[in-house]
Amino acid sequence: PRPQYCSNACRQRAYRRRLAAQSARSSAAAARQDAGPDTEQDTRPRAVAAVPDPEPPVRRPVPPVGPPPSTEPGTRRATPLQGNVPPASDGLVGRQDELVELGQLVEARRVVTVVGPPGVGKSTIAMDVARQAGAGLLDSAWPDGVWLIDLSTLPAGAPVAPALAAALSLPGWCATSPGLVEALRSRRALLLLDNAEHVLAGTAEIAGALARSCAGLRILVTSREPLDLAGAAVLPLSPLS
């Protein structure tokens, strides 16, 4: 129904109010159109991009020390051999005091060198202590074995790390000083580096790296000369009278 007004003046005032409101709406619409769509505030919720978790660092698996377990039927030993020190052929004669002292040094110090002239018995006494360690006769335990690394066949000045990795049956990436540190960091083993006089620099380098980073290792070296390595203990042997 059409609105009823009390007078013609009331009708004119109502008409002017409607006209003013319509004009205001038209002006606002024109302003929005001129400004463009980018000025309008977008109040819609925006999706937040998910931040992916950082990938964990890639670490090589720690290889087992020693040859792999045998899978042949009837094999008595199902775990890797714990060491390669040969059995004793003859009893050690005349070196009992030195034998006890060397055993104590091996337990107390990370690197020990047995030093003496050729034929004095350096390898014999070192291997006897290694056998005692492998048999559990010393106070310390080396569950990852007692290992002999014969350096006599290396050329003078050759690197020692490849020979050590080969003796422990470690993969090729372990044949460097950093590779051996990574492979042996968590191991508890006794390493006997025999006849090191012609590769003293390489022996000192690898022994120092392992001693600094592998707390569970003990390194026993035989040589005609001591290693140039700070903190290494030395047991000198002289000929028996």
Side-chain angles (χ1 to χ4, degrees), residues 31 35 51 121 138-139 163-164 168-169 174 186:
V51 179
L138 301 184
D139 291 338
L164 203 160
L168 272 61
S169 300
C174 299
S186 61

Side-chain angles (χ1 to χ4, degrees), residues 128-165:
D128 205 62
V129 167
R131 292 186 193 98
Q132 290 186 20
L137 300 179
L138 301 184
D139 291 338
S140 300
W142 288 277
D144 291 306
V146 180
W147 299 89
L148 170 64
I149 300 93
D150 185 6
L151 305 179
S152 62
T153 59
L154 294 181
V160 174
L164 203 160

Side-chain angles (χ1 to χ4, degrees), residues 25 29 38 79 82 87 101 194 206 223:
R25 288 194 297 268
D38 292 339
T79 57
Q82 298 302 310
E101 183 179 0
D194 197 23
I206 193 63
S223 173

Side-chain angles (χ1 to χ4, degrees), residues 2-18:
R2 301 181 65 179
Q4 299 294 323
Y5 300 99
C6 60
S7 65
N8 187 41
C10 290
R11 182 182 295 108
Q12 290 179 359
R13 285 195 296 271
Y15 175 78
R16 285 195 295 270
R17 286 195 295 269
R18 290 196 301 270

Side-chain angles (χ1 to χ4, degrees), residues 107-205:
E107 293 190 315
R109 308 290 287 272
R110 294 192 181 184
V111 182
V112 181
T113 307
V114 182
V115 178
V120 78
K122 301 182 295 293
S123 298
T124 302
I125 189 173
M127 281 197 278
D128 205 62
V129 167
R131 292 186 193 98
Q132 290 186 20
L137 300 179
L138 301 184
D139 291 338
S140 300
W142 288 277
D144 291 306
V146 180
W147 299 89
L148 170 64
I149 300 93
D150 185 6
L151 305 179
S152 62
T153 59
L154 294 181
V160 174
L164 203 160
L168 272 61
S169 300
L170 295 173
W173 62 265
C174 299
T176 63
S177 178
L180 282 170
V181 167
E182 184 175 348
L184 301 176
R185 190 184 304 274
S186 61
R187 301 292 187 175
R188 290 184 57 84
L190 173 61
L191 309 179
L192 169 54
L193 306 180
D194 197 23
N195 301 304
E197 52 272 350
H198 61 300
V199 286
L200 276 180
T203 303
E205 189 270 334

Side-chain angles (χ1 to χ4, degrees), residues 17-157:
R17 286 195 295 269
R18 290 196 301 270
L19 185 61
Q22 183 177 0
S23 177
R25 288 194 297 268
S26 299
S27 298
R32 288 195 298 268
Q33 185 175 3
D34 293 340
D38 292 339
T39 60
E40 296 183 8
Q41 184 176 3
D42 188 357
T43 59
R44 294 174 298 177
R46 298 180 180 272
V48 179
V51 179
D53 294 333
E55 295 183 359
V58 178
R59 294 185 61 86
R60 296 188 181 98
V62 177
V65 176
S70 175
T71 57
E72 297 180 2
T75 302
R76 296 178 58 188
R77 193 183 187 100
T79 57
L81 298 176
Q82 298 302 310
N84 62 348
V85 178
S89 55
D90 297 317
L92 190 64
V93 178
R95 295 287 190 188
Q96 296 304 315
D97 292 341
E98 292 91 338
L99 187 63
V100 172
E101 183 179 0
L102 183 57
Q104 293 172 344
L105 286 174
V106 166
E107 293 190 315
R109 308 290 287 272
R110 294 192 181 184
V111 182
V112 181
T113 307
V114 182
V115 178
V120 78
K122 301 182 295 293
S123 298
T124 302
I125 189 173
M127 281 197 278
D128 205 62
V129 167
R131 292 186 193 98
Q132 290 186 20
L137 300 179
L138 301 184
D139 291 338
S140 300
W142 288 277
D144 291 306
V146 180
W147 299 89
L148 170 64
I149 300 93
D150 185 6
L151 305 179
S152 62
T153 59
L154 294 181

